Structure formats: structure tokens, C-alpha cells
């Protein structure tokens, strides 16, 4: 199993954009992996934002981010991203990435939270 590390968080005004990165180490992501982005605030439990299989397969987006967030993969860099546009104050959270081997669907992966987490990267959106 790989380890993951997030980067790219920051402070932006509403309507702004950020691109988060998640780099895997200790192994190579391949078609056996499912990866995803999650977020958590002190008031809410950790929730899946977007998940996808490293190989072919569907991608899941949580309803509130559809049309604004895009998950993408760079196979050569063993890295995946979350591009966030039109950010809203309610997107403020600690964002975590995860990557696990298994046959879970992207929807299933985003709806479970027993994953190997990175340390998180904070996103703060001001109004």
C-alpha cells in the first residue's frame, strides 16, 4: 500500500480557485487502486468529495461540488489532483486524499472513511 501526501491548500476569496495535489510514495498507483479526495470540518464528519479508480472507471462527485471540482490523474507522476473552481465559503475544510487497493467503486470509496490518509491540507474560502 502506498502512502499519500497532500499539498496546495490555501486561503482564497469566494469565486476563486485552488488546485490540490496528492502524491503517492512507496509504490506505484495502478489499476488496482481507487483514489479520492475527502474533507472535514469541526462541525461535520469527513465526507467524500470526489473519487475515481486509477484505471478505467466512473468518477464520483459529491452533489455540492459537481460542475465546480474536477479530479484528475497524472500517471507519470503517481499524483492525482483536485481542481476547485468557483469556491464557496462552505467549501472551507481540511482536505485529505486517500488511495487504497481494492475493487470498490468510486461511489463506494467516497462513502467509506476507513482509508489510509495523508496529513491533510487546509482550504479557507472567505466571503
Amino acid at each position: 500500500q502506498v502512502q499519500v501526501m497532500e499539498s496546495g491548500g490555501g486561503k482564497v476569496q469566494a469565486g476563486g480557485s485552488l488546485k490540490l495535489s496528492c502524491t503517492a510514495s512507496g509504490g506505484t498507483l495502478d489499476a488496482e487502486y481507487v483514489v479520492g479526495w475527502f474533507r472535514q470540518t469541526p462541525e461535520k464528519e469527513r465526507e467524500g468529495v470526489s473519487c475515481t479508480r486509477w484505471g478505467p472507471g466512473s468518477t464520483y462527485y459529491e452533489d455540492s461540488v459537481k460542475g465546480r471540482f474536477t479530479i484528475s490523474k497524472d500517471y507519470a507522476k503517481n499524483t492525482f489532483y483536485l481542481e476547485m473552481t468557483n469556491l464557496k465559503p462552505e467549501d472551507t475544510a481540511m482536505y485529505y486524499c486517500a488511495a487504497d487497493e481494492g475493487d470498490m467503486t468510486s461511489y463506494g470509496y467516497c462513502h467509506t472513511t476507513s482509508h489510509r490518509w495523508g496529513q491533510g491540507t487546509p482550504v479557507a474560502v472567505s466571503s
Side-chain angles (χ1 to χ4, degrees):
Q1 290 280 3
V2 300
Q3 294 180 325
V4 293
M5 179 174 291
E6 307 90 342
S7 63
K11 297 179 181 180
V12 295
Q13 291 188 327
S17 300
L18 282 173
K19 187 173 184 178
L20 307 182
S21 301
C22 179
T23 300
S25 61
T28 301
L29 295 171
D30 59 27
E32 298 300 316
Y33 277 86
V34 57
V35 302
W37 288 96
F38 300 75
R39 63 187 179 187
Q40 187 172 18
T41 67
E43 296 79 24
K44 292 178 66 177
E45 293 183 350
R46 195 167 298 190
E47 65 174 358
V49 175
S50 181
C51 298
T52 189
R53 292 207 59 89
W54 196 251
S58 63
T59 296
Y60 168 82
Y61 291 98
E62 193 269 329
D63 284 346
S64 71
V65 307
K66 285 180 180 177
R68 301 188 298 121
F69 290 12
T70 303
I71 191 169
S72 61
K73 301 168 278 189
D74 188 324
Y75 298 102
K77 294 183 178 180
N78 221 32
T79 298
F80 57 101
Y81 306 93
L82 185 68
E83 185 156 14
M84 306 183 293
T85 64
N86 191 22
L87 281 160
K88 302 176 181 181
E90 51 265 42
D91 295 317
T92 295
M94 186 69 81
Y95 282 71
Y96 300 87
C97 65
D100 288 279
E101 288 183 294
D103 58 1
M104 295 184 78
T105 64
S106 55
Y107 176 91
Y109 193 69
C110 259
H111 284 81
T112 57
T113 54
S114 57
H115 305 316
R116 290 174 175 261
W117 302 108
Q119 84 287 353
T121 187
V123 172
V125 185
S126 59
S127 57

